[in-house]
Amino acid sequence: MRRAPTSIAVIAALLALAVTGLDAQRGAGAPAPPPQIPRAVAPIDLTGYWVSVVTQDWRWRMVTPAKGDYQGFQLTPEATKIADAWDPAKDEAAGEQCRSYGAPALMSVPGRLHITWQDDNTLKIETDAGTQTRLFHFGAYQAPANTPRTWQGVSVAQWQMPRGNVPLIFRPADPAAERTTGAPAVRPSGGSLRVVTTQLRPGYLRKNGVPYSENVTLTEHWDLYKRPNGEEWLTITQQIEDPQNLRTAKLAAPVFKKEPNGSKWDPTPCSARW
Amino acid sequence: MTVRRIDGWTSPNLQSICTLHSALCHLTHLILLSTVAALLSSTPLYAQVDLTGTWVRSSQSDNGAAREQNDLLGIPLSADGRAKALSYDIASLSATERQCQMYPPFYAITGPFPLQISIEQDPVTQKLLGWKIAGWGDRDVTMIWMDGRPPLSKYAPHSHGGFTTGAWEGDTLTAVTTHFKMGDIKRHRAFSSDRATLTYRFNRHGDLLTVTGILEDPVYLAEPYVLTEIFRLTTNPNNFPLTACEPIEELPRLHENPALVPHYLPGKQPFINEVTQHYNIPLEAALGGPETIYPEYRKKLKDKYVPPPPVPRGRGAQQQQQ
């Protein structure tokens, strides 16, 4: 019981330190610092030309599969009905040849990406297949009211910075590394890009008419990997949620390899059949 | 009363407060919780690095699944790799001495089972010695050593699981496996040799774990074979297969003639046209190769490929369940 005042003092001191820490982060009494520029603080550099490496799902990506081949999807009865009615001629007549080039499918379409910064807050991803453009908006981006739904929708992006402090239990017992650096063997590189895309126009997840609705949400994580031999690889983890058409979320992780330049860039228009 | 924090330390001071007056205790907890919440909300969004748990694969790709014996689609095989694949007869797995041979580490990505990941700690410092991916009945355990141990001599013996070391790159665990035995990399269709190297990338995003596997093999692959698989954290790990393998008599002809090694001679693969027959995909594409994995290969296919007739009603639904 006699220790209670001491305890209160300790907690008060801790709280004061915490508040001081917060103030120190934002500057006590000073105006909030300007927001960091996404382009300047990017933990990974995604810019350049990338080629898709089609080592999985080849049969559904490199060629147009048979109507009714929905392997890999858990479709609702409603979606199956739509897919069974797939008619590329009808899409062509309606000027909807780009239905299988919408954001949820685009990264799985064999082709190349050209990634540039449109401005300090917007990352631009162009594809030669279907000549599509995705814009990743950083910060507190809000699409203007009445923005029409498009094949690429509205994408809001956020950098995920590498964790600075690894919990003790996950620090490797690497005596050599700790002797030389005093720190655990964690290289400071890394980081990831998280993108959430909505406001999409209904389209196809697969060329043969597997549908997604306008209520679909696409969540992506872009992870870069620099190999010791200098190669750079990109894995895009995609989670496609569309309860209207998918009984479970569709998960995919297409892979890209960086190219030295755009010499193989080959823009081709959307095709409803190929 | 003992107040125990999550790291196992006890706090006599907090204990004293709580026994002093329950209202004061509640107030203290409220303030602490509010402070923690404020601190958390002001920190940047960090990814997670704890890989422990049981991760169920999404199985939404064709990594390990194929019905046709010659489905080598998308595998950047060398000429030797293709010859090896086409000479393989799955009946060879029924030989007594081969029934329990394990798959190589790549099977963690192509196989059907979950990943059960745990940590091995130094008994004194409690620091991480390594990440352990538990074995299955047909895949050896993978121990990803994080303690800076040196690489093995090239003359060191090869095991089914190989030798793996890892390092963090930011929030991504990169691991490299060497010294594993030859085995099949797409179930019963293509192979990696005992000179292959597998690099894993483990990226955790919330409850999803993306594993990228980069397989390099100077013997059977012309380029790296890169596959990804997405796993989801589960709290119901009951589906983890631990059944040990027991050899039995599967094919009487192999027991009657133990010297028989099932195989196909060059040019004698009886199923070589199955992919073409089922999907209209040209044979040269079905047999893989580095050229086939890049977008420009579609130009070669365009004039040769005609989509097959619609899948009969019911088959599509059946395929969804696979």
Side-chain angles (χ1 to χ4, degrees):
Chain A
M1 293 287 278
R2 280 181 297 166
R3 295 171 68 179
T6 307
S7 305
I8 293 172
V10 169
I11 290 174
L14 285 172
L15 287 174
L17 279 172
V19 171
T20 305
L22 285 174
D23 280 344
Q25 285 179 27
R26 61 175 175 247
Q36 292 182 309
I37 298 169
R39 182 177 184 171
V41 299
I44 52 176
D45 180 13
L46 294 169
T47 61
Y49 288 91
W50 300 84
V51 60
S52 54
V53 180
V54 189
T55 48
Q56 57 191 161
D57 295 346
W58 196 102
R59 184 159 66 81
W60 302 299
R61 295 172 63 189
M62 291 291 272
V63 296
T64 304
K67 185 176 180 176
D69 184 349
Y70 313 138
Q71 188 174 344
F73 292 98
Q74 299 284 326
L75 299 182
T76 62
E78 184 183 352
T80 305
K81 199 172 169 184
I82 294 170
D84 284 345
W86 172 62
D87 183 352
K90 204 179 272 184
D91 289 337
E92 287 169 346
E96 301 231 323
Q97 297 94 323
C98 290
R99 274 181 166 264
S100 60
Y101 297 82
L106 188 62
M107 296 297 104
S108 293
V109 176
R112 286 178 166 78
L113 310 179
H114 182 212
I115 305 179
T116 54
W117 284 95
Q118 177 170 282
D119 55 50
D120 283 347
N121 295 298
T122 313
L123 194 62
K124 183 164 75 173
I125 289 84
E126 297 169 282
T127 66
D128 60 358
T131 57
Q132 299 293 302
T133 301
R134 300 182 68 187
L135 295 177
F136 292 175
H137 304 280
F138 287 80
Y141 178 81
Q142 285 196 325
N146 301 321
T147 298
R149 294 179 183 276
T150 59
W151 298 126
Q152 304 312 325
V154 174
S155 297
V156 178
Q158 182 182 37
W159 292 121
Q160 293 192 304
M161 302 299 183
R163 190 185 178 100
N165 296 311
V166 178
L168 180 67
I169 199 169
F170 296 134
R171 291 182 190 178
D174 180 351
E178 294 201 47
R179 256 199 313 275
T180 54
T181 66
V186 178
R187 278 173 256 173
S189 62
S192 178
L193 175 63
R194 183 176 191 267
V195 186
V196 178
T197 302
T198 55
Q199 285 286 106
L200 285 152
R201 193 172 164 182
Y204 299 146
L205 294 169
R206 185 175 284 172
K207 183 76 81 178
N208 64 352
V210 174
Y212 63 82
S213 75
E214 65 177 20
N215 296 319
V216 67
T217 299
L218 168 65
T219 304
E220 295 169 292
H221 289 90
W222 294 48
D223 290 297
L224 189 63
Y225 174 33
K226 292 184 181 179
R227 305 202 65 208
N229 64 5
E231 290 178 352
E232 290 186 61
W233 293 77
L234 174 65
T235 300
I236 306 174
T237 301
Q238 298 184 305
Q239 185 170 15
I240 303 165
E241 294 166 294
D242 181 13
Q244 190 175 324
N245 291 300
L246 301 174
R247 286 189 280 140
T248 58
K250 172 65 179 172
L251 299 172
V255 170
F256 293 81
K257 184 179 173 183
K258 195 164 191 178
E259 295 194 317
N261 53 52
S263 60
K264 294 181 179 175
W265 182 253
D266 183 22
T268 52
C270 294
S271 170
R273 299 172 186 268
W274 176 248
Chain B
M1 181 178 120
T2 300
V3 180
R4 185 172 288 276
R5 296 193 324 216
I6 56 170
D7 58 4
W9 296 351
T10 55
S11 172
N13 289 339
L14 203 54
Q15 176 186 356
S16 302
I17 295 170
C18 288
T19 53
L20 176 67
H21 195 286
S22 63
L24 179 58
C25 177
H26 290 148
L27 181 63
T28 305
H29 280 110
L30 191 62
I31 291 170
L32 283 171
L33 284 172
S34 303
T35 306
V36 169
L39 285 168
L40 286 175
S41 65
S42 66
T43 54
L45 182 62
Y46 287 132
Q48 300 178 57
V49 291
D50 184 2
L51 302 177
T52 58
T54 299
W55 302 84
V56 177
R57 72 185 55 238
S58 65
S59 295
Q60 295 184 2
S61 71
D62 67 347
N63 283 350
R67 281 178 293 190
E68 293 75 19
Q69 178 69 49
N70 73 320
D71 180 353
L72 305 173
L73 294 165
I75 306 177
L77 291 168
S78 64
D80 286 349
R82 185 178 297 110
K84 168 69 178 169
L86 294 178
S87 72
Y88 183 70
D89 181 349
I90 195 171
S92 64
L93 268 187
S94 292
T96 310
E97 70 275 19
R98 290 175 184 256
Q99 286 177 26
C100 294
Q101 76 179 24
M102 291 181 164
Y103 292 94
F106 204 51
Y107 193 50
I109 295 170
T110 60
F113 303 120
L115 297 185
Q116 191 178 47
I117 303 177
S118 57
I119 57 173
E120 289 282 323
Q121 293 170 265
D122 183 291
V124 177
T125 66
Q126 302 305 316
K127 287 190 176 182
L128 184 74
L129 288 176
W131 297 88
K132 180 181 177 183
I133 304 176
W136 305 328
D138 52 6
R139 188 184 66 77
D140 203 357
V141 63
T142 297
M143 191 70 211
I144 304 172
W145 295 108
M146 304 287 288
D147 56 357
R149 64 185 59 199
L152 295 183
S153 157
K154 66 177 181 180
Y155 303 111
H158 286 52
S159 63
H160 288 295
F163 174 74
T164 308
T165 55
W168 286 104
E169 294 180 21
D171 284 353
T172 301
L173 177 63
T174 298
V176 179
T177 303
T178 59
H179 294 79
F180 52 92
K181 291 177 184 281
M182 186 195 78
D184 39 323
I185 55 177
K186 186 160 188 174
R187 297 185 72 192
H188 316 308
R189 283 161 186 84
F191 293 81
S192 62
S193 77
D194 61 0
R195 292 169 61 190
T197 298
L198 172 61
T199 302
Y200 299 92
R201 298 274 293 174
F202 295 87
N203 291 105
R204 178 175 179 169
H205 301 293
D207 281 352
L208 296 182
L209 178 67
T210 302
V211 182
T212 302
I214 302 174
L215 183 68
E216 294 165 286
D217 183 1
V219 181
Y220 292 145
L221 293 176
E223 286 192 18
Y225 182 32
V226 183
L227 289 184
T228 56
E229 180 59 85
I230 303 175
F231 299 82
R232 192 185 289 278
L233 190 62
T234 179
T235 54
N236 178 21
N238 297 331
N239 50 359
F240 198 72
L242 293 171
T243 309
C245 177
E246 286 183 51
I248 58 171
E249 183 177 326
E250 289 188 350
L251 291 179
R253 65 186 170 104
L254 294 180
H255 287 267
E256 291 160 6
N257 183 2
L260 191 65
V261 179
H263 66 283
Y264 299 117
L265 289 171
K268 303 292 184 186
Q269 231 283 2
F271 308 108
I272 196 165
N273 290 314
E274 277 194 338
V275 169
T276 305
Q277 289 164 355
H278 292 171
Y279 308 115
N280 286 356
I281 292 172
L283 178 61
E284 60 266 31
L287 298 183
E291 183 189 24
T292 65
I293 67 175
Y294 293 107
E296 44 270 30
Y297 190 69
R298 297 184 79 229
K299 288 181 180 173
K300 290 193 172 181
L301 292 169
K302 193 171 183 179
D303 295 331
K304 299 178 184 174
Y305 176 78
V306 176
V311 174
R313 181 164 291 280
R315 184 171 150 195
Q318 189 181 15
Q319 287 176 332
Q320 287 179 48
Q321 305 305 322
Q322 293 178 348

